[in-house]
Structure formats: structure tokens, C-alpha cells
Amino acid sequence: MRLTIKGVEEGKPIPATFAFAVPDPEQHMRLSDNRNPEVRWLDAPSGTRSFVMLVTDPDVPGVADDVNQEGKTLPPELPRVDFYHWVLVDIPAEVNLLEEGEMADGVVPKGKPPGQTAKGISGINGYTGFLAGDPDMAGVYGGYDGPCPPWNDEIVHRYTFSLFALDIPTLGLAGEFTGEQVREAMAGHVLAESSVTGTYTLNPDLR
């Protein structure tokens, strides 16, 4: 199965238009275009009945105390955890294209609702938890929201766009389901997987 993320090349920086935030010399970062990239795939295996799209950052600090704090940095050896930027399930078997901006076009304060779309069911992404303490931004974040790694992180973050072909038409998930719940639900049903990994940083010393 062949997966193409238009504008995102393996191991190369992700364009700013697909990011949640971009560097800013005065305030470290500011909000960006936050558009989902175009996703296209070919050669799904016989017997495919639905697809799942996940975008995962495995480099998020497991302890957030020093994230984006003046005078502090996040060292490479800090424990890291997965952060989901896009959770889309039950993509119909006949679909092989998600158009640029179709699932996200701009940052929506307090988030976009999860649920049924024209091309699958959106779960919630990691911003739901990450922004829970911000009165201006706290909410339920469904669909795609792009990269926004800590500006004081000493490593460049990786973002893996993964498409899974499944042998079942639905995972039976609804409401505010997470990427972790998707991985549990699709275990034993994956016929094929394809991925592309880009990078992103807000640390001016790493750009």
C-alpha cells in the first residue's frame, strides 16, 4: 500500500502551513495556518473494508512541568510519550484521498467537535488534554491539529502519518475516543500499514 502526504517528505521538515504554531522572535511562537495536508493512497490489499488515519508524535515530554518555560530546556534524555495529532477511523473502503484543508483549516480555539465526517469518524487529539488548563483554548479537539512542539525542547520532533487498511468496516468507536483506543480496537484487523514521517521544531537553535 502506497501512501503520499503531499508536501511532507520522509525525514524532512513539515511545511509551516500544516503546523499549529510557527516560531516568533518576540513571543517564541504564534498560531499558524493549521491545515491538514493532502493524503492519498493506492494499492490497498484485497479484502480492505475500511481505513484508519493516525498522526503521532512520539517525542512529547512525559512530564510537562518545564514545557515552554523561560530559562529552562527539555533535555533529550527526558522520558517521551505519544501525542496524537489526527485520529480518523471508519474511512470507507472506496475512499483514497483526504484533500488539503478538508479536515482542518486554521486553529479553532476550544477545538473542533469529533464525530462523523464525510470520510470517516474523527476522534480526539492530544490538544484536548494539553490545553485543558488554558481558559482561552481549553476544549475538545477533534480532527486534525498540527505540530506545536515545545519551543524549549532540545530535540526535533517526529510526526508519523500512518494509514491502516482494516478487514472490518467499522471499529465501533464513538464520542471522545483517543488514538490509544483506536490502536486497541484495530488490533488483529490490520491488513496493511503505510507511513510517512516528517519533522518539526519551534526551537530557533534547531531550525
Side-chain angles (χ1 to χ4, degrees), residues 118-157:
K119 295 181 180 176
I121 299 175
S122 290
I124 63 172
N125 63 52
Y127 288 104
T128 302
F130 182 71
L131 295 173
D134 184 332
D136 295 323
M137 298 293 286
V140 177
Y141 284 74
Y144 176 89
D145 283 298
C148 183
W151 50 258
N152 62 338
D153 206 335
E154 293 182 353
I155 68 170
V156 175
H157 284 220

PDB file of all heavy atoms in Angstrom, residues 118-157:
ATOM      1  N   ALA A 118     -17.546  13.432   6.300  1.00  0.00           N
ATOM      2  CA  ALA A 118     -17.870  12.838   5.002  1.00  0.00           C
ATOM      3  C   ALA A 118     -16.963  11.652   4.686  1.00  0.00           C
ATOM      4  O   ALA A 118     -17.302  10.826   3.827  1.00  0.00           O
ATOM      5  CB  ALA A 118     -17.759  13.893   3.909  1.00  0.00           C
ATOM      6  N   LYS A 119     -15.837  11.554   5.375  1.00  0.00           N
ATOM      7  CA  LYS A 119     -14.868  10.496   5.063  1.00  0.00           C
ATOM      8  C   LYS A 119     -14.379   9.780   6.314  1.00  0.00           C
ATOM      9  O   LYS A 119     -13.192   9.491   6.456  1.00  0.00           O
ATOM     10  CB  LYS A 119     -13.689  11.077   4.286  1.00  0.00           C
ATOM     11  CG  LYS A 119     -14.076  11.614   2.908  1.00  0.00           C
ATOM     12  CD  LYS A 119     -12.877  12.168   2.162  1.00  0.00           C
ATOM     13  CE  LYS A 119     -13.279  12.692   0.789  1.00  0.00           C
ATOM     14  NZ  LYS A 119     -12.142  13.323   0.082  1.00  0.00           N
ATOM     15  N   GLY A 120     -15.274   9.495   7.214  1.00  0.00           N
ATOM     16  CA  GLY A 120     -14.897   8.755   8.404  1.00  0.00           C
ATOM     17  C   GLY A 120     -15.357   9.435   9.675  1.00  0.00           C
ATOM     18  O   GLY A 120     -16.061  10.443   9.646  1.00  0.00           O
ATOM     19  N   ILE A 121     -14.924   8.881  10.812  1.00  0.00           N
ATOM     20  CA  ILE A 121     -15.306   9.392  12.122  1.00  0.00           C
ATOM     21  C   ILE A 121     -14.063   9.912  12.827  1.00  0.00           C
ATOM     22  O   ILE A 121     -13.080   9.184  12.992  1.00  0.00           O
ATOM     23  CB  ILE A 121     -15.984   8.304  12.975  1.00  0.00           C
ATOM     24  CG1 ILE A 121     -17.261   7.810  12.274  1.00  0.00           C
ATOM     25  CG2 ILE A 121     -16.321   8.834  14.362  1.00  0.00           C
ATOM     26  CD1 ILE A 121     -17.935   6.652  12.981  1.00  0.00           C
ATOM     27  N   SER A 122     -14.102  11.174  13.250  1.00  0.00           N
ATOM     28  CA  SER A 122     -12.974  11.789  13.938  1.00  0.00           C
ATOM     29  C   SER A 122     -13.025  11.489  15.429  1.00  0.00           C
ATOM     30  O   SER A 122     -14.067  11.635  16.067  1.00  0.00           O
ATOM     31  CB  SER A 122     -12.985  13.312  13.756  1.00  0.00           C
ATOM     32  OG  SER A 122     -12.669  13.665  12.436  1.00  0.00           O
ATOM     33  N   GLY A 123     -11.864  11.086  15.973  1.00  0.00           N
ATOM     34  CA  GLY A 123     -11.712  11.001  17.413  1.00  0.00           C
ATOM     35  C   GLY A 123     -11.129  12.307  17.921  1.00  0.00           C
ATOM     36  O   GLY A 123     -11.141  13.336  17.230  1.00  0.00           O
ATOM     37  N   ILE A 124     -10.612  12.294  19.144  1.00  0.00           N
ATOM     38  CA  ILE A 124      -9.995  13.495  19.704  1.00  0.00           C
ATOM     39  C   ILE A 124      -8.476  13.390  19.635  1.00  0.00           C
ATOM     40  O   ILE A 124      -7.914  12.298  19.622  1.00  0.00           O
ATOM     41  CB  ILE A 124     -10.448  13.753  21.155  1.00  0.00           C
ATOM     42  CG1 ILE A 124     -10.006  12.621  22.086  1.00  0.00           C
ATOM     43  CG2 ILE A 124     -11.952  13.947  21.205  1.00  0.00           C
ATOM     44  CD1 ILE A 124     -10.246  12.905  23.563  1.00  0.00           C
ATOM     45  N   ASN A 125      -7.825  14.530  19.544  1.00  0.00           N
ATOM     46  CA  ASN A 125      -6.368  14.539  19.508  1.00  0.00           C
ATOM     47  C   ASN A 125      -5.799  15.021  20.852  1.00  0.00           C
ATOM     48  O   ASN A 125      -6.533  15.354  21.778  1.00  0.00           O
ATOM     49  CB  ASN A 125      -5.857  15.365  18.322  1.00  0.00           C
ATOM     50  CG  ASN A 125      -6.232  16.835  18.392  1.00  0.00           C
ATOM     51  OD1 ASN A 125      -6.003  17.505  19.394  1.00  0.00           O
ATOM     52  ND2 ASN A 125      -6.822  17.358  17.308  1.00  0.00           N
ATOM     53  N   GLY A 126      -4.470  15.052  20.929  1.00  0.00           N
ATOM     54  CA  GLY A 126      -3.802  15.315  22.194  1.00  0.00           C
ATOM     55  C   GLY A 126      -3.976  16.706  22.753  1.00  0.00           C
ATOM     56  O   GLY A 126      -3.729  16.940  23.947  1.00  0.00           O
ATOM     57  N   TYR A 127      -4.422  17.659  21.930  1.00  0.00           N
ATOM     58  CA  TYR A 127      -4.625  19.019  22.437  1.00  0.00           C
ATOM     59  C   TYR A 127      -5.766  19.085  23.437  1.00  0.00           C
ATOM     60  O   TYR A 127      -5.847  20.020  24.242  1.00  0.00           O
ATOM     61  CB  TYR A 127      -4.873  19.984  21.277  1.00  0.00           C
ATOM     62  CG  TYR A 127      -3.640  20.257  20.451  1.00  0.00           C
ATOM     63  CD1 TYR A 127      -3.461  19.674  19.210  1.00  0.00           C
ATOM     64  CD2 TYR A 127      -2.626  21.089  20.941  1.00  0.00           C
ATOM     65  CE1 TYR A 127      -2.322  19.908  18.467  1.00  0.00           C
ATOM     66  CE2 TYR A 127      -1.482  21.326  20.201  1.00  0.00           C
ATOM     67  CZ  TYR A 127      -1.331  20.725  18.962  1.00  0.00           C
ATOM     68  OH  TYR A 127      -0.188  20.953  18.234  1.00  0.00           O
ATOM     69  N   THR A 128      -6.652  18.102  23.408  1.00  0.00           N
ATOM     70  CA  THR A 128      -7.754  18.070  24.368  1.00  0.00           C
ATOM     71  C   THR A 128      -7.210  18.068  25.794  1.00  0.00           C
ATOM     72  O   THR A 128      -7.697  18.798  26.669  1.00  0.00           O
ATOM     73  CB  THR A 128      -8.641  16.841  24.126  1.00  0.00           C
ATOM     74  OG1 THR A 128      -9.147  16.885  22.782  1.00  0.00           O
ATOM     75  CG2 THR A 128      -9.799  16.790  25.107  1.00  0.00           C
ATOM     76  N   GLY A 129      -6.187  17.268  26.026  1.00  0.00           N
ATOM     77  CA  GLY A 129      -5.582  17.219  27.348  1.00  0.00           C
ATOM     78  C   GLY A 129      -4.559  18.307  27.570  1.00  0.00           C
ATOM     79  O   GLY A 129      -4.502  18.920  28.648  1.00  0.00           O
ATOM     80  N   PHE A 130      -3.754  18.585  26.542  1.00  0.00           N
ATOM     81  CA  PHE A 130      -2.649  19.529  26.686  1.00  0.00           C
ATOM     82  C   PHE A 130      -3.125  20.940  26.997  1.00  0.00           C
ATOM     83  O   PHE A 130      -2.492  21.672  27.754  1.00  0.00           O
ATOM     84  CB  PHE A 130      -1.799  19.530  25.408  1.00  0.00           C
ATOM     85  CG  PHE A 130      -0.612  20.446  25.470  1.00  0.00           C
ATOM     86  CD1 PHE A 130       0.469  20.144  26.271  1.00  0.00           C
ATOM     87  CD2 PHE A 130      -0.589  21.616  24.735  1.00  0.00           C
ATOM     88  CE1 PHE A 130       1.570  20.988  26.344  1.00  0.00           C
ATOM     89  CE2 PHE A 130       0.504  22.471  24.799  1.00  0.00           C
ATOM     90  CZ  PHE A 130       1.590  22.160  25.609  1.00  0.00           C
ATOM     91  N   LEU A 131      -4.250  21.340  26.418  1.00  0.00           N
ATOM     92  CA  LEU A 131      -4.750  22.705  26.599  1.00  0.00           C
ATOM     93  C   LEU A 131      -5.845  22.809  27.656  1.00  0.00           C
ATOM     94  O   LEU A 131      -6.479  23.858  27.793  1.00  0.00           O
ATOM     95  CB  LEU A 131      -5.268  23.248  25.260  1.00  0.00           C
ATOM     96  CG  LEU A 131      -4.215  23.425  24.163  1.00  0.00           C
ATOM     97  CD1 LEU A 131      -4.875  23.801  22.841  1.00  0.00           C
ATOM     98  CD2 LEU A 131      -3.186  24.474  24.569  1.00  0.00           C
ATOM     99  N   ALA A 132      -6.039  21.754  28.417  1.00  0.00           N
ATOM    100  CA  ALA A 132      -7.142  21.730  29.388  1.00  0.00           C
ATOM    101  C   ALA A 132      -7.027  22.818  30.438  1.00  0.00           C
ATOM    102  O   ALA A 132      -8.037  23.278  30.979  1.00  0.00           O
ATOM    103  CB  ALA A 132      -7.207  20.356  30.059  1.00  0.00           C
ATOM    104  N   GLY A 133      -5.798  23.274  30.748  1.00  0.00           N
ATOM    105  CA  GLY A 133      -5.628  24.296  31.763  1.00  0.00           C
ATOM    106  C   GLY A 133      -5.598  25.719  31.241  1.00  0.00           C
ATOM    107  O   GLY A 133      -5.392  26.664  32.001  1.00  0.00           O
ATOM    108  N   ASP A 134      -5.814  25.889  29.931  1.00  0.00           N
ATOM    109  CA  ASP A 134      -5.779  27.217  29.311  1.00  0.00           C
ATOM    110  C   ASP A 134      -7.211  27.719  29.130  1.00  0.00           C
ATOM    111  O   ASP A 134      -7.959  27.190  28.301  1.00  0.00           O
ATOM    112  CB  ASP A 134      -5.073  27.120  27.956  1.00  0.00           C
ATOM    113  CG  ASP A 134      -4.891  28.470  27.276  1.00  0.00           C
ATOM    114  OD1 ASP A 134      -5.707  29.384  27.512  1.00  0.00           O
ATOM    115  OD2 ASP A 134      -3.946  28.609  26.476  1.00  0.00           O
ATOM    116  N   PRO A 135      -7.625  28.756  29.861  1.00  0.00           N
ATOM    117  CA  PRO A 135      -9.025  29.195  29.788  1.00  0.00           C
ATOM    118  C   PRO A 135      -9.457  29.675  28.405  1.00  0.00           C
ATOM    119  O   PRO A 135     -10.647  29.612  28.074  1.00  0.00           O
ATOM    120  CB  PRO A 135      -9.100  30.326  30.815  1.00  0.00           C
ATOM    121  CG  PRO A 135      -7.685  30.776  31.018  1.00  0.00           C
ATOM    122  CD  PRO A 135      -6.842  29.574  30.818  1.00  0.00           C
ATOM    123  N   ASP A 136      -8.506  30.150  27.605  1.00  0.00           N
ATOM    124  CA  ASP A 136      -8.851  30.638  26.271  1.00  0.00           C
ATOM    125  C   ASP A 136      -8.915  29.525  25.224  1.00  0.00           C
ATOM    126  O   ASP A 136      -9.536  29.697  24.179  1.00  0.00           O
ATOM    127  CB  ASP A 136      -7.838  31.686  25.810  1.00  0.00           C
ATOM    128  CG  ASP A 136      -7.862  32.937  26.672  1.00  0.00           C
ATOM    129  OD1 ASP A 136      -8.967  33.331  27.103  1.00  0.00           O
ATOM    130  OD2 ASP A 136      -6.781  33.507  26.923  1.00  0.00           O
ATOM    131  N   MET A 137      -8.272  28.399  25.507  1.00  0.00           N
ATOM    132  CA  MET A 137      -8.144  27.342  24.495  1.00  0.00           C
ATOM    133  C   MET A 137      -8.727  26.000  24.916  1.00  0.00           C
ATOM    134  O   MET A 137      -8.919  25.118  24.076  1.00  0.00           O
ATOM    135  CB  MET A 137      -6.665  27.141  24.143  1.00  0.00           C
ATOM    136  CG  MET A 137      -5.991  28.361  23.543  1.00  0.00           C
ATOM    137  SD  MET A 137      -6.617  28.801  21.895  1.00  0.00           S
ATOM    138  CE  MET A 137      -5.859  27.501  20.904  1.00  0.00           C
ATOM    139  N   ALA A 138      -9.020  25.803  26.195  1.00  0.00           N
ATOM    140  CA  ALA A 138      -9.484  24.512  26.692  1.00  0.00           C
ATOM    141  C   ALA A 138     -10.764  24.074  25.997  1.00  0.00           C
ATOM    142  O   ALA A 138     -11.679  24.871  25.785  1.00  0.00           O
ATOM    143  CB  ALA A 138      -9.703  24.568  28.204  1.00  0.00           C
ATOM    144  N   GLY A 139     -10.818  22.800  25.620  1.00  0.00           N
ATOM    145  CA  GLY A 139     -11.995  22.256  24.964  1.00  0.00           C
ATOM    146  C   GLY A 139     -11.711  20.877  24.421  1.00  0.00           C
ATOM    147  O   GLY A 139     -10.685  20.259  24.734  1.00  0.00           O
ATOM    148  N   VAL A 140     -12.613  20.380  23.611  1.00  0.00           N
ATOM    149  CA  VAL A 140     -12.468  19.068  22.989  1.00  0.00           C
ATOM    150  C   VAL A 140     -11.963  19.267  21.566  1.00  0.00           C
ATOM    151  O   VAL A 140     -12.631  19.914  20.752  1.00  0.00           O
ATOM    152  CB  VAL A 140     -13.804  18.301  22.992  1.00  0.00           C
ATOM    153  CG1 VAL A 140     -13.656  16.966  22.287  1.00  0.00           C
ATOM    154  CG2 VAL A 140     -14.293  18.088  24.427  1.00  0.00           C
ATOM    155  N   TYR A 141     -10.810  18.721  21.276  1.00  0.00           N
ATOM    156  CA  TYR A 141     -10.169  18.908  19.973  1.00  0.00           C
ATOM    157  C   TYR A 141     -10.314  17.649  19.125  1.00  0.00           C
ATOM    158  O   TYR A 141      -9.644  16.642  19.355  1.00  0.00           O
ATOM    159  CB  TYR A 141      -8.686  19.275  20.156  1.00  0.00           C
ATOM    160  CG  TYR A 141      -8.493  20.716  20.588  1.00  0.00           C
ATOM    161  CD1 TYR A 141      -8.773  21.118  21.881  1.00  0.00           C
ATOM    162  CD2 TYR A 141      -8.061  21.680  19.684  1.00  0.00           C
ATOM    163  CE1 TYR A 141      -8.631  22.439  22.279  1.00  0.00           C
ATOM    164  CE2 TYR A 141      -7.917  23.014  20.064  1.00  0.00           C
ATOM    165  CZ  TYR A 141      -8.199  23.379  21.367  1.00  0.00           C
ATOM    166  OH  TYR A 141      -8.047  24.694  21.740  1.00  0.00           O
ATOM    167  N   GLY A 142     -11.226  17.703  18.158  1.00  0.00           N
ATOM    168  CA  GLY A 142     -11.399  16.610  17.219  1.00  0.00           C
ATOM    169  C   GLY A 142     -10.694  16.903  15.913  1.00  0.00           C
ATOM    170  O   GLY A 142     -10.269  18.027  15.644  1.00  0.00           O
ATOM    171  N   GLY A 143     -10.556  15.878  15.088  1.00  0.00           N
ATOM    172  CA  GLY A 143      -9.941  16.061  13.777  1.00  0.00           C
ATOM    173  C   GLY A 143      -8.452  16.323  13.847  1.00  0.00           C
ATOM    174  O   GLY A 143      -7.778  15.945  14.800  1.00  0.00           O
ATOM    175  N   TYR A 144      -7.947  17.015  12.835  1.00  0.00           N
ATOM    176  CA  TYR A 144      -6.510  17.288  12.730  1.00  0.00           C
ATOM    177  C   TYR A 144      -6.148  18.609  13.389  1.00  0.00           C
ATOM    178  O   TYR A 144      -6.830  19.617  13.206  1.00  0.00           O
ATOM    179  CB  TYR A 144      -6.121  17.351  11.250  1.00  0.00           C
ATOM    180  CG  TYR A 144      -4.670  17.735  10.994  1.00  0.00           C
ATOM    181  CD1 TYR A 144      -3.680  16.768  10.919  1.00  0.00           C
ATOM    182  CD2 TYR A 144      -4.302  19.066  10.796  1.00  0.00           C
ATOM    183  CE1 TYR A 144      -2.360  17.106  10.664  1.00  0.00           C
ATOM    184  CE2 TYR A 144      -2.979  19.420  10.548  1.00  0.00           C
ATOM    185  CZ  TYR A 144      -2.013  18.436  10.486  1.00  0.00           C
ATOM    186  OH  TYR A 144      -0.709  18.781  10.241  1.00  0.00           O
ATOM    187  N   ASP A 145      -5.067  18.600  14.152  1.00  0.00           N
ATOM    188  CA  ASP A 145      -4.402  19.813  14.611  1.00  0.00           C
ATOM    189  C   ASP A 145      -2.902  19.530  14.530  1.00  0.00           C
ATOM    190  O   ASP A 145      -2.422  18.516  15.044  1.00  0.00           O
ATOM    191  CB  ASP A 145      -4.811  20.186  16.038  1.00  0.00           C
ATOM    192  CG  ASP A 145      -6.199  20.823  16.087  1.00  0.00           C
ATOM    193  OD1 ASP A 145      -6.365  21.895  15.473  1.00  0.00           O
ATOM    194  OD2 ASP A 145      -7.103  20.245  16.718  1.00  0.00           O
ATOM    195  N   GLY A 146      -2.164  20.421  13.888  1.00  0.00           N
ATOM    196  CA  GLY A 146      -0.791  20.155  13.501  1.00  0.00           C
ATOM    197  C   GLY A 146       0.243  20.320  14.586  1.00  0.00           C
ATOM    198  O   GLY A 146      -0.070  20.551  15.768  1.00  0.00           O
ATOM    199  N   PRO A 147       1.518  20.220  14.203  1.00  0.00           N
ATOM    200  CA  PRO A 147       2.631  20.275  15.154  1.00  0.00           C
ATOM    201  C   PRO A 147       2.724  21.581  15.938  1.00  0.00           C
ATOM    202  O   PRO A 147       2.519  22.662  15.394  1.00  0.00           O
ATOM    203  CB  PRO A 147       3.858  20.101  14.256  1.00  0.00           C
ATOM    204  CG  PRO A 147       3.363  19.352  13.064  1.00  0.00           C
ATOM    205  CD  PRO A 147       1.972  19.875  12.840  1.00  0.00           C
ATOM    206  N   CYS A 148       3.064  21.437  17.213  1.00  0.00           N
ATOM    207  CA  CYS A 148       3.345  22.576  18.093  1.00  0.00           C
ATOM    208  C   CYS A 148       4.239  22.085  19.227  1.00  0.00           C
ATOM    209  O   CYS A 148       3.853  22.115  20.394  1.00  0.00           O
ATOM    210  CB  CYS A 148       2.053  23.169  18.635  1.00  0.00           C
ATOM    211  SG  CYS A 148       2.280  24.644  19.669  1.00  0.00           S
ATOM    212  N   PRO A 149       5.446  21.606  18.897  1.00  0.00           N
ATOM    213  CA  PRO A 149       6.330  21.096  19.948  1.00  0.00           C
ATOM    214  C   PRO A 149       6.808  22.223  20.851  1.00  0.00           C
ATOM    215  O   PRO A 149       6.795  23.393  20.459  1.00  0.00           O
ATOM    216  CB  PRO A 149       7.485  20.493  19.150  1.00  0.00           C
ATOM    217  CG  PRO A 149       7.515  21.286  17.884  1.00  0.00           C
ATOM    218  CD  PRO A 149       6.082  21.593  17.575  1.00  0.00           C
ATOM    219  N   PRO A 150       7.229  21.914  22.081  1.00  0.00           N
ATOM    220  CA  PRO A 150       7.710  22.960  22.983  1.00  0.00           C
ATOM    221  C   PRO A 150       8.869  23.742  22.362  1.00  0.00           C
ATOM    222  O   PRO A 150       9.789  23.146  21.795  1.00  0.00           O
ATOM    223  CB  PRO A 150       8.176  22.181  24.216  1.00  0.00           C
ATOM    224  CG  PRO A 150       7.394  20.906  24.174  1.00  0.00           C
ATOM    225  CD  PRO A 150       7.242  20.583  22.723  1.00  0.00           C
ATOM    226  N   TRP A 151       8.822  25.057  22.500  1.00  0.00           N
ATOM    227  CA  TRP A 151       9.875  25.872  21.896  1.00  0.00           C
ATOM    228  C   TRP A 151      11.195  25.753  22.636  1.00  0.00           C
ATOM    229  O   TRP A 151      12.244  26.162  22.129  1.00  0.00           O
ATOM    230  CB  TRP A 151       9.451  27.332  21.775  1.00  0.00           C
ATOM    231  CG  TRP A 151       8.891  27.973  23.009  1.00  0.00           C
ATOM    232  CD1 TRP A 151       7.570  28.216  23.280  1.00  0.00           C
ATOM    233  CD2 TRP A 151       9.612  28.471  24.155  1.00  0.00           C
ATOM    234  NE1 TRP A 151       7.422  28.826  24.507  1.00  0.00           N
ATOM    235  CE2 TRP A 151       8.670  29.005  25.072  1.00  0.00           C
ATOM    236  CE3 TRP A 151      10.964  28.540  24.497  1.00  0.00           C
ATOM    237  CZ2 TRP A 151       9.018  29.579  26.290  1.00  0.00           C
ATOM    238  CZ3 TRP A 151      11.327  29.101  25.724  1.00  0.00           C
ATOM    239  CH2 TRP A 151      10.366  29.608  26.593  1.00  0.00           C
ATOM    240  N   ASN A 152      11.166  25.154  23.845  1.00  0.00           N
ATOM    241  CA  ASN A 152      12.411  24.982  24.598  1.00  0.00           C
ATOM    242  C   ASN A 152      12.896  23.534  24.589  1.00  0.00           C
ATOM    243  O   ASN A 152      13.732  23.149  25.399  1.00  0.00           O
ATOM    244  CB  ASN A 152      12.243  25.478  26.033  1.00  0.00           C
ATOM    245  CG  ASN A 152      11.187  24.709  26.822  1.00  0.00           C
ATOM    246  OD1 ASN A 152      10.306  24.082  26.244  1.00  0.00           O
ATOM    247  ND2 ASN A 152      11.267  24.777  28.145  1.00  0.00           N
ATOM    248  N   ASP A 153      12.375  22.732  23.663  1.00  0.00           N
ATOM    249  CA  ASP A 153      12.799  21.335  23.564  1.00  0.00           C
ATOM    250  C   ASP A 153      14.116  21.240  22.801  1.00  0.00           C
ATOM    251  O   ASP A 153      14.294  21.907  21.766  1.00  0.00           O
ATOM    252  CB  ASP A 153      11.728  20.490  22.866  1.00  0.00           C
ATOM    253  CG  ASP A 153      11.794  19.030  23.272  1.00  0.00           C
ATOM    254  OD1 ASP A 153      12.873  18.566  23.678  1.00  0.00           O
ATOM    255  OD2 ASP A 153      10.748  18.357  23.195  1.00  0.00           O
ATOM    256  N   GLU A 154      15.030  20.413  23.286  1.00  0.00           N
ATOM    257  CA  GLU A 154      16.342  20.286  22.669  1.00  0.00           C
ATOM    258  C   GLU A 154      16.381  19.230  21.567  1.00  0.00           C
ATOM    259  O   GLU A 154      17.441  18.989  20.987  1.00  0.00           O
ATOM    260  CB  GLU A 154      17.393  19.971  23.738  1.00  0.00           C
ATOM    261  CG  GLU A 154      17.622  21.116  24.724  1.00  0.00           C
ATOM    262  CD  GLU A 154      18.694  20.808  25.748  1.00  0.00           C
ATOM    263  OE1 GLU A 154      19.179  19.656  25.788  1.00  0.00           O
ATOM    264  OE2 GLU A 154      19.062  21.722  26.515  1.00  0.00           O
ATOM    265  N   ILE A 155      15.250  18.609  21.273  1.00  0.00           N
ATOM    266  CA  ILE A 155      15.203  17.663  20.157  1.00  0.00           C
ATOM    267  C   ILE A 155      14.162  18.109  19.135  1.00  0.00           C
ATOM    268  O   ILE A 155      13.190  18.786  19.461  1.00  0.00           O
ATOM    269  CB  ILE A 155      14.890  16.220  20.611  1.00  0.00           C
ATOM    270  CG1 ILE A 155      13.455  16.109  21.147  1.00  0.00           C
ATOM    271  CG2 ILE A 155      15.907  15.739  21.644  1.00  0.00           C
ATOM    272  CD1 ILE A 155      13.005  14.672  21.378  1.00  0.00           C
ATOM    273  N   VAL A 156      14.402  17.734  17.881  1.00  0.00           N
ATOM    274  CA  VAL A 156      13.435  17.941  16.806  1.00  0.00           C
ATOM    275  C   VAL A 156      12.399  16.820  16.897  1.00  0.00           C
ATOM    276  O   VAL A 156      12.761  15.640  16.987  1.00  0.00           O
ATOM    277  CB  VAL A 156      14.135  17.931  15.437  1.00  0.00           C
ATOM    278  CG1 VAL A 156      13.111  18.012  14.317  1.00  0.00           C
ATOM    279  CG2 VAL A 156      15.135  19.078  15.343  1.00  0.00           C
ATOM    280  N   HIS A 157      11.131  17.172  16.880  1.00  0.00           N
ATOM    281  CA  HIS A 157      10.081  16.162  16.994  1.00  0.00           C
ATOM    282  C   HIS A 157       9.794  15.502  15.644  1.00  0.00           C
ATOM    283  O   HIS A 157       9.914  16.114  14.587  1.00  0.00           O
ATOM    284  CB  HIS A 157       8.797  16.790  17.536  1.00  0.00           C
ATOM    285  CG  HIS A 157       8.849  17.068  19.003  1.00  0.00           C
ATOM    286  ND1 HIS A 157       7.781  16.860  19.852  1.00  0.00           N
ATOM    287  CD2 HIS A 157       9.853  17.537  19.789  1.00  0.00           C
ATOM    288  CE1 HIS A 157       8.116  17.192  21.089  1.00  0.00           C
ATOM    289  NE2 HIS A 157       9.374  17.620  21.073  1.00  0.00           N
TER     290      HIS A 157
END
